[in-house]
Amino acid sequence: MKANNKRKVFGDAVDLLMDEIEDRDVLRGIQMIQIKNIHPFHDHPFHLYEGERLEDMIASVKEHGILNPVIVQKIDGCYEMLSGHNRMNAAKLAGLKEVPAIVKTDLSEEEAYVYVIETNLMQRSFSDLLISEKAAVLKARYEKESCQGRRNDIIEEIARLEGKEVEVTRGHGDHRMKTRDTIGKEYELSGSSVGRLLKLNDLIKPFKDMVDRGALYTKVALQLAFLPEEEQNMVYSVIKEKKTKVSIDMVMKLRSHSGALTDAMVRRYLSTEPVKKKCYKVPARIVEKYFVGMDPNKVDSIVEQALEAWFHKGKDGVDV
């Protein structure tokens, strides 16, 4: 990266922040970090931009540089991305070697996750998210945002960086956000819908991707989510190999053996081949001898009784 380009990237970030942010301590905290030293967030639930949106971002980076610094946390001498996965990806594809970054330290898992979730929600509305992304957002609301006061501080900081205003909720009533109904109201969902989306977080990533691209019905995915992770991996391997379209009947059979599924069982329950049935025709000589002119239903009854008697004789020790 040329020196003048480096100054431009850094300068754009500083200029924007000078206009948008009054907190000069934040400005002094910006560092230029090598892209190769930044790793994606370990539990990043969002898909990176693709297609035209990605191309537009790459073009913008080539022309203007990174206008807004990414946010990373320093862990064991390396950096983990919190906010800016798409910016860093576009910068890398545009040929940049480093990006301006604000470095955070000593964050709890919950605090780090708030940065990841909230920055994405400021760029896209909840309704624009993919199904697995919505599930991740709701999980963050329901489980990981235990400290509302700290969450508000983080949201306000992110809003200042993005040059946006955001209204945060304060007070003792914040604890009610832990309930599904209250969370549902925030996103215009019913409590039961929130519950279903929360359950989708138990899916392995390949199944989440299938749901997002419409290759797996949500109602089927919900049932698969009840299987242990190792059994989900087993099921996915067979689906991928056989290119099976999983039905609700198939997955319910799998669920009935949850905890004890074997590869053979998975292959049997996911088989789309019809079961071959062997038919036995009564020889004409037997029909002429015993069943001529008899009601077919009567014939069936006699044959069944004869077979039943024969079977029980075998149980009693007769060689059959």
Side-chain angles (χ1 to χ4, degrees), residues 236-253:
Y236 177 73
S237 295
V238 175
I239 291 174
K240 186 177 180 181
E241 176 189 340
K242 300 293 185 180
K243 295 181 172 56
T244 305
K245 186 74 172 181
V246 185
S247 68
I248 193 66
D249 289 337
M250 289 177 176
V251 76
M252 292 309 293
K253 289 178 181 178

Side-chain angles (χ1 to χ4, degrees), residues 166-185:
V166 61
E167 181 180 348
V168 296
T169 304
R170 300 187 184 278
H172 297 294
D174 296 334
H175 296 293
R176 291 177 298 177
M177 290 184 67
K178 295 299 179 182
T179 67
R180 294 179 182 181
D181 289 339
T182 305
I183 295 172
K185 289 179 181 178

Side-chain angles (χ1 to χ4, degrees), residues 11 17 27 35 88 92 113 115 127 148 172 179 183 190-191 203 206 209 212 224 251 267 293:
L17 289 169
L27 296 179
I35 291 177
M88 185 177 73
K92 184 177 181 180
Y113 209 75
Y115 278 103
S127 60
Q148 184 65 25
H172 297 294
T179 67
I183 295 172
S190 66
L203 287 172
D209 292 340
D212 286 338
L224 285 170
V251 76
R267 290 178 180 278

Side-chain angles (χ1 to χ4, degrees), residues 59-273:
S60 176
V61 169
K62 286 181 177 179
E63 183 176 358
H64 304 293
I66 301 295
L67 296 178
N68 218 1
V70 302
I71 302 176
V72 300
Q73 65 173 337
K74 192 170 185 178
I75 303 177
D76 298 329
C78 297
Y79 298 95
E80 184 178 51
M81 182 66 73
L82 298 177
S83 168
H85 288 80
N86 285 298
R87 273 171 281 170
M88 185 177 73
N89 186 44
K92 184 177 181 180
L93 294 174
L96 274 63
K97 301 300 182 183
E98 53 188 2
V99 292
I102 296 172
V103 180
K104 298 292 180 180
T105 58
D106 301 323
L107 294 177
S108 68
E109 176 75 4
E110 290 77 13
E111 290 168 350
Y113 209 75
V114 171
Y115 278 103
V116 175
I117 294 294
E118 293 299 336
T119 50
N120 275 275
L121 289 180
M122 285 185 181
Q123 300 300 323
R124 297 180 289 169
S125 68
F126 183 78
S127 60
D128 291 334
L129 301 179
L130 297 172
I131 293 176
S132 70
E133 295 173 335
K134 291 179 179 179
V137 168
L138 293 177
K139 180 180 180 181
R141 285 282 193 267
Y142 191 74
E143 294 180 350
K144 295 193 173 183
E145 297 174 6
S146 58
C147 181
Q148 184 65 25
R150 177 58 177 150
R151 174 177 174 268
N152 285 337
D153 294 340
I154 292 173
I155 293 175
E156 289 175 340
E157 177 190 6
I158 294 170
R160 291 197 303 272
L161 289 171
E162 298 289 342
K164 299 178 180 180
E165 293 183 2
V166 61
E167 181 180 348
V168 296
T169 304
R170 300 187 184 278
H172 297 294
D174 296 334
H175 296 293
R176 291 177 298 177
M177 290 184 67
K178 295 299 179 182
T179 67
R180 294 179 182 181
D181 289 339
T182 305
I183 295 172
K185 289 179 181 178
E186 183 179 350
Y187 297 103
E188 298 182 353
L189 296 170
S190 66
S192 58
S193 294
V194 171
R196 286 191 291 271
L197 283 167
L198 286 172
K199 187 60 186 175
L200 291 179
N201 286 290
D202 293 335
L203 287 172
I204 58 175
K205 190 177 186 305
F207 281 146
K208 290 179 181 177
D209 292 340
M210 289 180 68
V211 173
D212 286 338
R213 66 175 185 264
L216 186 65
Y217 290 127
T218 303
K219 64 179 181 179
V220 173
L222 282 169
Q223 299 303 322
L224 285 170
F226 284 95
L227 296 177
E229 182 177 339
E230 61 272 17
E231 292 186 353
Q232 288 190 46
N233 282 314
M234 191 187 305
V235 172
Y236 177 73
S237 295
V238 175
I239 291 174
K240 186 177 180 181
E241 176 189 340
K242 300 293 185 180
K243 295 181 172 56
T244 305
K245 186 74 172 181
V246 185
S247 68
I248 193 66
D249 289 337
M250 289 177 176
V251 76
M252 292 309 293
K253 289 178 181 178
L254 293 171
R255 269 204 67 186
S256 68
H257 296 279
S258 178
L261 281 175
T262 63
D263 182 72
M265 293 169 67
V266 172
R267 290 178 180 278
R268 181 167 71 250
Y269 290 136
L270 294 182
S271 175
T272 57
E273 297 179 3

